[in-house]
Amino acid sequence: MSDLKLDPEDGLAVQDLSTLDVSKLTPLTPEVISRQATMNVGTIGHVAHGKSTVVKGLSGTHTVKFKAEKERNITIKLGYANAKIYKKQSPEEDEDHPYTSRGSSAPDVLEDDYRLVRHVSFVDCPGHDILMATMLNGAAVMDAALLVIAGNETCPQPQTSEHLAAVEIMRLKHIIILQNKVELIKQQEAESRYEEIKKFVAGTAADSSPIIPISAVLKYNLDVICEYLCTQVPIPPRDFTSNPVMIIIRSFDVNRPGEEVVDLKGGVAGGSILKGVLKMGDEIEIRPGIVTKDGENVQCRPIRSRIMSLLAEKNALQFAVPGGLIGVGTKIDPKLTRADKLVGHVLGHPGKLPSSLGVETVWKFPCDRNALAEVNVSCAPEVNVSERQVKFYLLRRLLGVKTEGDGKAGKVAKLKKGEILMVNIGSTAAGGRVLGIKEETDFAKITLTNPVCTQDGDKVALSRRIDKHWRLIGWGSIARGTTIKPMSD
């Protein structure tokens, strides 16, 4: 740390584009983690189990920011907060967990010789059942997850099981279970709830996950969470040398009402870089961009602009790397970015992004022990739209739904011709209609409402509308597809 140049204004490491060698960057390079998180950790679980409180305890940032959220005291939009995790270099003999955490703008060395070891970005997902699509968008960028379970309620609650299934769908292997609100119960009840949690996660991706008793309100055992995030969750492999690809999970207009014309700023896109490095001044392209429909003809006009600012929370960046959540300031007309209009789009260098795959899509559903039926979805090509083949699984039973009687109502039915599904691809949520099913070949035909920018191997989640709510019924990955040719300027 002594060799680092520090910015006198904020006390953080200086990033110098003139000396940047992308091939030598790692997720733990001091110039990187001083300013930017390089690992995304999601907080998942049932509504009111304390997810946002855990994030506030670790980062000092309250993720409930919008008026509707404050009025109802629940998370509605994805919340974000970065936290630096420090380790004491010379811990005392009786010090079991020599870790602590601070906000993203804290210096890299604290009193008592605590040194920066990780910089984590928390994705705070809503726990309410009707916000499942928002949770799936957040799961698209997670490297690990904190499954928060209230110790004063029986386990599992509906969204506890639904969120755990969702992160399994995303093939998330690193899960830490937090038994929250232990200050509200006696030791015997806490032990009973602990056994319930162990029984619930048996046979799932969280089977061998540690279970940490915590009190987020009293900040009890938060140092243990910090330690486990450093010791139990490996640094995810990152690709710094490829062309950059960033999926957008928020977009907004930063201008206040009545702003003078000369002071207007371009739109801001927020998201996570999957690979590559974005630098100040880079020319960028956003796909699919502006989508227009003329009958069955769908056209996509990519949006081109230039990076005017890069921010990780309040930390200004000269370059941004994979991992963490980044805000990209552009010259784009703010009306195109306000109110999350660019959510689901992909940002990168001009001409280097995946093509926009369009409206009609091919899906494949192979069976396993969790599957109900094998179904493949294909389609006939049309003008300016695409074919895609996606390999996916249907769940045997609905998750997060309480059923009575014999439980038949909780089973996932086969796909039906004409039904409407919600399809989550990365941070994109698109509607899809089943046009036809071929039982003998296990293929069905689905048309999507919007084209999406994606590529082979991308993950997909499927939801069906049940009792006025979208419920997760299956998942998969794209196998192949045809493309929509973008319109040139």
Side-chain angles (χ1 to χ4, degrees):
M1 301 294 290
S2 58
D3 298 332
L4 280 180
K5 283 179 63 178
L6 298 180
D7 188 324
E9 291 186 7
D10 55 21
L12 304 179
V14 172
Q15 294 183 340
D16 189 350
L17 285 178
S18 63
T19 59
L20 176 64
D21 184 352
V22 172
S23 64
K24 293 183 179 179
L25 290 177
T26 73
L28 295 180
T29 300
E31 292 89 339
V32 173
I33 65 169
S34 176
R35 292 179 174 272
Q36 180 194 337
T38 53
M39 183 167 69
N40 295 323
V41 177
T43 55
I44 60 174
H46 193 66
V47 62
H49 276 205
K51 298 180 293 298
S52 299
T53 311
V54 169
V55 173
K56 184 180 180 182
L58 290 167
S59 68
T61 301
H62 196 30
T63 56
V64 177
K65 296 179 178 178
F66 295 90
K67 181 182 178 183
E69 294 179 315
K70 291 179 178 178
E71 287 175 348
R72 300 166 64 185
N73 196 29
I74 62 170
T75 301
I76 297 175
K77 294 177 179 285
L78 287 173
Y80 312 107
N82 292 351
K84 288 180 173 178
I85 298 178
Y86 301 82
K87 182 180 181 181
K88 197 171 187 178
Q89 297 306 295
S90 303
E92 305 292 336
E93 288 185 8
D94 59 346
E95 204 167 3
D96 294 329
H97 310 288
Y99 290 81
T100 188
S101 63
R102 295 289 189 277
S104 185
S105 300
D108 298 342
V109 180
L110 301 179
E111 65 281 355
D112 297 330
D113 204 23
Y114 277 96
R115 304 257 173 165
L116 178 64
V117 289
R118 294 283 192 279
H119 199 162
V120 178
S121 189
F122 291 102
V123 185
D124 186 23
C125 295
H128 203 282
D129 56 354
I130 63 174
L131 301 170
M132 192 63 198
T134 306
M135 184 270 159
L136 290 170
N137 289 349
V141 299
M142 293 179 194
D143 300 309
L146 300 177
L147 175 59
V148 183
I149 301 175
N152 62 335
E153 296 182 19
T154 56
C155 178
Q157 292 294 310
Q159 270 56 62
T160 306
S161 55
E162 196 166 19
H163 282 200
L164 180 58
V167 295
E168 283 192 287
I169 285 168
M170 299 302 178
R171 298 291 190 267
L172 207 59
K173 297 178 182 177
H174 305 293
I175 300 171
I176 297 173
I177 302 169
L178 307 181
Q179 185 180 357
N180 193 21
K181 304 188 182 183
V182 294
E183 79 279 9
L184 300 179
I185 55 177
K186 295 180 179 179
Q187 182 175 344
Q188 186 176 357
E189 186 179 354
E191 291 172 354
S192 173
R193 295 282 184 253
Y194 174 84
E195 294 301 325
E196 281 183 7
I197 294 170
K198 283 183 68 175
K199 184 178 178 181
F200 162 61
V201 299
T204 69
D207 195 344
S208 58
S209 297
I211 303 174
I212 306 173
I214 68 163
S215 170
V217 172
L218 301 179
K219 298 187 178 181
Y220 170 70
N221 268 354
L222 295 190
D223 55 342
V224 182
I225 301 175
C226 294
E227 179 176 354
Y228 274 57
L229 285 172
C230 294
T231 59
Q232 303 291 318
V233 180
I235 289 292
R238 300 296 191 198
D239 178 0
F240 294 92
T241 56
S242 297
N243 291 313
V245 174
M246 176 178 133
I247 60 173
I248 299 173
I249 51 182
R250 290 287 300 279
S251 71
F252 38 89
D253 173 9
V254 296
N255 299 295
R256 296 181 179 277
E259 194 83 67
E260 295 293 336
V261 173
V262 293
D263 297 326
L264 286 176
K265 296 180 176 65
V268 175
S272 188
I273 301 174
L274 301 182
K275 59 181 181 179
V277 175
L278 288 174
K279 304 170 190 170
M280 281 286 291
D282 278 358
E283 287 191 28
I284 56 168
E285 180 178 75
I286 295 175
R287 292 191 179 189
I290 301 171
V291 179
T292 55
K293 297 179 182 178
D294 181 12
E296 294 180 348
N297 189 22
V298 178
Q299 295 180 326
C300 300
R301 185 186 295 275
I303 302 169
R304 292 206 175 188
S305 188
R306 186 179 296 276
I307 295 178
M308 304 305 294
S309 64
L310 285 169
L311 286 173
E313 283 199 349
K314 297 179 180 178
N315 298 340
L317 308 174
Q318 291 299 308
F319 60 88
V321 303
L325 296 161
I326 303 300
V328 181
T330 69
K331 288 185 173 182
I332 297 171
D333 186 341
K335 84 171 184 183
L336 297 177
T337 63
R338 68 169 55 119
D340 287 338
K341 287 183 180 178
L342 290 183
V343 169
H345 293 237
V346 180
L347 182 150
H349 286 164
K352 305 294 185 182
L353 286 172
S355 299
S356 297
L357 302 182
V359 179
E360 294 209 354
T361 307
V362 188
W363 313 89
K364 185 176 182 181
F365 299 65
C367 285
D368 69 350
R369 64 184 177 84
N370 293 320
L372 171 70
E374 183 172 355
V375 188
N376 295 329
V377 186
S378 66
C379 67
E382 293 190 10
V383 180
N384 248 356
V385 296
S386 75
E387 279 189 2
R388 281 188 242 154
Q389 183 159 326
V390 176
K391 183 178 182 182
F392 74 81
Y393 300 81
L394 287 180
L395 300 170
R396 285 192 180 278
R397 300 185 62 80
L398 287 172
L399 299 166
V401 180
K402 292 183 178 179
T403 57
E404 299 178 359
D406 59 5
K408 287 184 178 179
K411 290 187 176 180
V412 177
K414 293 183 180 180
L415 297 182
K416 299 174 185 176
K417 183 177 179 180
E419 77 166 318
I420 303 295
L421 300 175
M422 181 174 69
V423 184
N424 285 82
I425 307 170
S427 63
T428 307
R433 182 188 295 274
V434 180
L435 298 183
I437 303 169
K438 293 183 180 179
E439 294 285 348
E440 65 278 6
T441 57
D442 293 326
F443 272 81
K445 187 187 291 186
I446 290 182
T447 178
L448 294 180
T449 55
N450 300 308
V452 296
C453 183
T454 186
Q455 59 191 355
D456 294 353
D458 281 358
K459 296 166 186 171
V460 172
L462 298 176
S463 302
R464 174 182 281 151
R465 198 166 180 83
I466 298 170
D467 295 333
K468 299 181 181 180
H469 297 164
W470 290 105
R471 298 292 186 183
L472 188 66
I473 63 165
W475 70 94
S477 59
I478 296 169
R480 62 178 173 84
T482 57
T483 62
I484 298 176
K485 187 177 180 180
M487 296 173 61
S488 57
D489 292 331

